Amino acid sequence: MTQWRLLRGDVLVGELSEYGCDQPFFLARFTPGPGWESVRALFEAWAALKGPDPDGSRTVAVVKPLQDLELRLAPVDGQQPPLQVFKNCVLRINGSAARLRY
C-alpha cells in the first residue's frame, strides 16, 4: 500500500500509511508531524461535520480554509507526482485515522 507525506510547503504536517479500502476511500493510519498543530483544528472541524448539508454551505465553510492551505500529498516512494489536497484528492483526518479519495 502507498505511504504519503502530507506537506504544507516544505513543512511535514504528517504521514499516511494506507492499509485498506472502503470504496471509494483508501483507509490510512495518520502520524502527525511538526506542522500538524497549525492545521489540526481545521481537520477536526472537517471530521466533525455530520448530517445533511443540502446546499453544501456547511461543507464549504470547513473545506475552504483547508483548500487555502495548499496542502499536498507526496508519495514516499516518489513513483507518482504529488496530489494537491482538495484539488486532486479528498482527505479527511480524524485522530490517527485518515480517509483518502483520489
Side-chain angles (χ1 to χ4, degrees):
M1 292 280 172
T2 307
Q3 292 188 315
W4 303 91
R5 288 188 183 102
L6 179 60
L7 301 165
R8 181 178 183 195
D10 292 331
V11 176
L12 178 65
V13 174
E15 296 180 320
L16 287 82
S17 297
E18 289 181 17
Y19 67 86
C21 188
D22 181 15
Q23 285 294 344
F25 290 94
F26 290 94
L27 306 175
R29 289 177 187 80
F30 176 72
T31 304
W36 175 243
E37 284 305 312
S38 67
V39 301
R40 182 177 57 86
L42 297 174
F43 275 100
E44 286 175 348
W46 174 222
L49 185 66
K50 305 256 191 283
D53 186 14
D55 67 357
S57 61
R58 291 179 34 226
T59 301
V60 168
V62 297
V63 170
K64 180 69 171 113
L66 283 166
Q67 275 182 312
D68 292 344
L69 295 174
E70 297 185 3
L71 299 170
R72 71 184 191 286
L73 283 170
V76 171
D77 65 10
Q79 295 297 314
Q80 49 188 310
L83 300 173
Q84 190 72 34
V85 178
F86 298 109
K87 182 175 182 180
N88 306 116
C89 64
V90 175
L91 174 63
R92 291 185 84 133
I93 298 172
N94 189 0
S96 63
R99 296 170 67 83
L100 173 64
R101 180 177 181 175
Y102 57 96

